[in-house]
Amino acid sequence: MPPSQRHLLALLACLAGIAGCSSLPAVLPQESLSSGFELTGRAAIRYGDEAASAKVQWRHSVGAYDMLITNAMGQGIARITRSRGEVTLETADSRQFQAANAESLTEQVLGWRIPLSGLPDWLRARALPGEAAQTRFGADGRLLELHQDAWRIEYQEYREERPVRLRLTRPNLEIRLIVDTWQEVEP
């Protein structure tokens, strides 16, 4: 795969995707570890001099997920799935890559790690447990900014106590994510 295609795929896969200490205040009710969600959203990604936009459909539960990344016309760009401890990344040209975790898989296929392990918590406006984190809260008690795992997550808009507009950045990479729909689901 040529480097420019790898970078574009990497940008789009970031949607998936890109110390939670016990004393951190919870902005949202702490869903049980077994809770899952379904979301649809849009993203704008900038990686170096390249930029892209995409739509995302993601069903997530503990130990399993299915994320479909499409272009504005609804054509599939990539699908990232996890089932039975195995993560698979399938590209638009039907090539499949597998690994034990999403971070090593995206590093192998795309050349750098995508924080899929942190994103479910970050979308709930909370730090990933067990990892160092810095937070900044607004006067209303809502999380405004989170620094974790070399990522800076800015919470730019909330709707009904749930973040709906986020900006995730790290050196040479920016992801702007808008959550259009969110639904808690049983695992």
Side-chain angles (χ1 to χ4, degrees):
M1 178 178 298
S4 63
Q5 285 181 333
R6 280 186 30 184
H7 288 138
L8 184 56
L9 180 59
L11 292 173
L12 297 171
C14 254
L15 304 173
I18 207 232
C21 53
S22 58
S23 63
L24 283 176
V27 175
L28 299 175
Q30 292 290 324
E31 293 91 351
S32 73
L33 291 176
S34 63
S35 70
F37 61 83
E38 288 182 7
L39 74 75
T40 61
R42 298 167 280 145
I45 306 108
R46 190 178 61 207
Y47 180 69
D49 294 333
E50 298 181 44
S53 61
K55 293 182 179 182
V56 178
Q57 295 175 318
W58 187 10
R59 180 175 176 90
H60 175 86
S61 64
V62 173
Y65 51 78
D66 183 7
M67 177 183 286
L68 176 63
I69 302 166
T70 62
N71 65 20
M73 303 296 286
Q75 296 170 324
I77 295 171
R79 174 171 244 132
I80 302 173
T81 57
R82 178 180 177 151
S83 178
R84 296 181 295 280
E86 184 91 345
V87 179
T88 302
L89 188 154
E90 183 176 354
T91 62
D93 61 0
S94 299
R95 293 181 11 173
Q96 289 190 357
F97 304 89
Q98 294 182 321
N101 63 64
E103 286 75 15
S104 65
L105 177 62
T106 56
E107 184 173 44
Q108 168 196 344
V109 176
L110 308 172
W112 48 277
R113 292 175 177 258
I114 296 174
L116 292 178
S117 61
L119 198 53
D121 284 295
W122 298 344
L123 285 166
R124 289 181 167 121
R126 63 184 185 207
L128 178 63
E131 299 290 327
Q134 295 177 334
T135 56
R136 183 172 60 90
F137 292 86
D140 60 0
R142 290 181 174 171
L143 184 60
L144 297 177
E145 192 171 320
L146 170 65
H147 293 257
Q148 190 169 41
D149 195 25
W151 286 90
R152 176 181 178 203
I153 301 94
E154 297 171 74
Y155 296 89
Q156 299 177 324
E157 183 182 340
Y158 283 79
R159 186 180 316 125
E160 299 175 11
E161 301 303 316
R162 176 138 340 263
V164 294
R165 188 178 301 264
L166 297 86
R167 180 176 177 248
L168 296 87
T169 56
R170 65 182 304 152
N172 210 28
L173 177 61
E174 175 184 44
I175 303 167
R176 292 182 181 265
L177 180 62
I178 297 173
V179 177
D180 293 318
T181 65
W182 174 283
Q183 180 179 355
E184 295 291 330
V185 296
E186 293 296 318

